[in-house]
Amino acid sequence: MIQTEDLPFIYYRIVQKNGSIRHFKAYGKVLTDNEENRRLIGTTADITDEIENYRLLEERNFELERNNKELSSFNHVASHDLQEPLRKIQTFISRLEEKEASNLSERGNLYLERIKTSSTRMRLLIDDLLQFSRTNKSEEVFEETNMNIILENAKQELAETILEKDAIITSETIPTLTVIPFQLQQLFINLIGNSLKYSKKEVSPNIKISYNKVDASDVKNKEHQV
């Protein structure tokens, strides 16, 4: 070390007679009075507590990550299970508003409107919760996926809007692909949702979904095209 002046930190441990382990860090520095008088001085520090705290922090981070995954999974399941009964509630509200509103008193119609507003608010909250649980998943696992099932799931997510708009959705049979299922389902939801949102009023949307195979080089050349 005196000759090369390469003085890195040195970490080592000592196993004591009683079996306990202590961790140390050593560092050296060369002092030169003249070319012939060079000395090496250094320090050694007991870093056992630092090492143990680091290990404890790693364990807690691992436990926190596991708890976050469990919470995310719970959020996803809970929000997904809440969608079906809410969808039925909104369907019956729509039927009640369409066929029975004239039979209700002014106060009854006011209550109906408040129920409708609350159910819409609940739909937004459930969608936000579901989206939160999905976007917080750190894993990006590619799976061999039936794209037609993914498409049907997306249509179920938008069932209320599809019914309200009286939309017709047709699609070709899409082949099985290796994808991240959530991302593709979200893509279908966004595409269909935007088609419904920006459709002409008083006109039933007619949405057709098809696919075609392209070469990767073509995608790069057309990356700015929609």
Side-chain angles (χ1 to χ4, degrees):
M1 292 176 68
I2 291 179
Q3 292 176 352
T4 64
E5 296 189 9
D6 182 16
L7 310 173
F9 281 103
I10 299 173
Y11 297 88
Y12 60 96
R13 66 177 189 168
I14 294 175
V15 181
Q16 298 177 320
K17 290 183 179 181
N18 62 5
S20 62
I21 298 176
R22 307 296 298 182
H23 296 269
F24 293 87
K25 177 174 70 174
Y27 175 71
K29 182 177 182 181
V30 174
L31 295 181
T32 303
D33 295 336
N34 51 59
E35 290 297 328
E36 297 180 355
N37 187 13
R38 307 179 73 194
R39 293 177 296 165
L40 177 66
I41 65 172
T43 61
T44 299
D46 186 334
I47 59 170
T48 303
D49 291 341
E50 181 181 333
I51 295 294
E52 293 301 324
N53 288 337
Y54 178 76
R55 288 178 177 173
L56 180 61
L57 181 61
E58 278 192 322
E59 291 176 1
R60 289 180 176 176
N61 284 340
F62 176 77
E63 183 178 356
L64 180 61
E65 183 179 356
R66 184 184 61 192
N67 290 339
N68 284 340
K69 288 181 179 179
E70 292 176 353
L71 179 59
S72 178
S73 178
F74 171 79
N75 285 343
H76 181 271
V77 172
S79 56
H80 189 273
D81 289 348
L82 286 172
Q83 289 187 75
E84 181 58 29
L86 178 59
R87 189 177 294 119
K88 290 181 178 179
I89 290 173
Q90 291 183 315
T91 298
F92 283 114
I93 289 175
S94 178
R95 292 177 181 176
L96 185 62
E97 187 177 38
E98 180 182 350
K99 298 181 180 181
E100 301 294 337
S102 59
N103 297 326
L104 296 175
S105 65
E106 181 178 351
R107 183 176 294 274
N109 278 288
L110 175 62
Y111 290 158
L112 179 61
E113 187 62 31
R114 289 181 177 178
I115 293 172
K116 183 179 177 181
T117 301
S118 296
S119 66
T120 301
R121 175 60 179 163
M122 183 178 290
R123 162 66 64 185
L124 294 174
L125 291 174
I126 292 175
D127 288 344
D128 288 344
L129 181 60
L130 186 60
Q131 183 66 19
F132 175 79
S133 67
R134 287 168 170 172
T135 54
N136 277 273
K137 290 182 178 180
S138 58
E139 302 88 350
E140 292 189 351
V141 181
F142 286 83
E143 302 176 4
E144 188 172 334
T145 305
N146 186 327
M147 297 300 297
N148 302 287
I149 295 178
I150 293 294
L151 175 57
E152 286 303 316
N153 290 341
K155 288 162 64 176
Q156 286 299 317
E157 294 272 1
L158 299 166
E160 182 65 25
T161 306
I162 293 172
L163 181 63
E164 179 183 338
K165 294 275 189 176
D166 195 24
I168 300 173
I169 301 177
T170 57
S171 62
E172 298 179 359
T173 301
I174 307 174
T176 297
L177 300 175
T178 301
V179 298
I180 301 174
F182 157 68
Q183 292 186 356
L184 266 295
Q185 181 170 321
Q186 194 62 45
L187 173 64
F188 282 133
I189 290 173
N190 291 343
L191 290 174
I192 298 173
N194 286 336
S195 298
L196 296 170
K197 182 177 180 181
Y198 298 106
S199 61
K200 293 181 179 179
K201 294 182 178 180
E202 310 301 331
V203 177
S204 298
N206 190 346
I207 303 171
K208 297 180 181 180
I209 300 173
S210 60
Y211 77 94
N212 65 296
K213 186 177 180 179
V214 297
D215 189 86
S217 59
D218 292 336
V219 175
K220 292 180 181 179
N221 295 332
K222 300 177 181 178
E223 59 183 358
H224 298 298
Q225 297 183 18
V226 178

